[in-house]
Every structure is written in C-alpha cells, then in structure tokens.
Amino acid sequence: MGGMGAWIEAQELDPERTLVLGLDTIGSGEPVVLEAEGGLWPVRYREQDVAAAERAGLRRWRLGAWTDPVLAALRGLPTLSILSVRDGGFPNYHLPSDTPANVDIGCVEACVNAAETIAVSA
C-alpha cells in the first residue's frame, strides 16, 4: 500500500470528477466488487458505484482486510476495488504457486472489461 499511499498524496483529484478504480488479485476465478472492506472499521464504497459494478457483471463481496484503493476512499474520493475469488478466497496469493501458469486469463479479461464498462459509465 506504500505505492498507492505515495501516489494518492501526490495527486489533487476532484471528487466530483474522479473514480479511483483498483484491480487487485485478479485472475483467480470469479470477478467481484467490494462493497466494503476492513475489519473492525469497515470502509463502505458508494452504493451508486457498487451498483454500476453489478450492472457490469460483478458480484458484491465483503473483505475483512484492506486493498490499495481504500486509501483513496479514506481521502474522500469515490473508489471501487475489483478482485477475483475462488472457493471463498484468493488461491495462490503470496504462495509459491502464484505463477503465470496459474493465472486465469479469462478472469483477468472479465475484470478489465468490467472496469472499462464502469469507467465509461461513470
């Protein structure tokens, strides 16, 4: 999250004209959009943005940890985080099996297509 933190600090983005759209841990199964993330102090994303992601074919999901885009949300910017999951989690994430051979390219394409659809409609 250090890179995202540095990037967001260096920006002067207008919340009325900005949607920060993150793609994190994609390529492992079913594309999802976070409606909220974080444990004891969850950050919820704007309903209209989550609904736009649903219209783009993503299922709502809740994560008990943080993804990089949450830093933009904490700065008051409209934000979405797109992930992919399989069997309720992130297979191969930070494991020796996290190799190009285990990336589901169809899932990556679905996440990118959904992101494009959301960006165009925003």
Side-chain angles (χ1 to χ4, degrees):
M1 292 178 84
M4 179 63 171
W7 181 82
I8 203 73
E9 281 293 320
Q11 306 305 308
E12 291 186 26
L13 301 170
D14 178 359
E16 297 296 320
R17 299 174 28 94
T18 302
L19 174 63
V20 176
L21 185 56
L23 290 102
D24 195 355
T25 66
I26 62 172
S28 65
E30 177 191 4
V32 297
V33 63
L34 294 183
E35 63 181 349
E37 63 181 281
L40 296 175
W41 180 46
V43 172
R44 299 194 182 285
Y45 293 110
R46 293 186 324 175
E47 176 57 31
Q48 69 237 43
D49 298 325
V50 175
E54 279 187 306
R55 288 189 299 276
L58 303 178
R59 182 171 60 95
R60 292 173 183 247
W61 218 63
R62 173 76 165 66
L63 185 64
W66 301 106
T67 64
D68 291 343
V70 76
L71 297 176
L74 292 171
R75 294 276 313 256
L77 293 167
T79 306
L80 280 177
S81 189
I82 295 173
L83 310 167
S84 63
V85 297
R86 182 180 304 134
D87 300 326
F90 309 110
N92 305 310
Y93 183 65
H94 290 300
L95 297 172
S97 58
D98 194 355
T99 64
N102 288 322
V103 173
D104 177 349
I105 296 300
C107 178
V108 172
E109 289 173 344
C111 290
V112 170
N113 290 340
E116 180 179 26
T117 299
I118 294 162
V120 168
S121 69

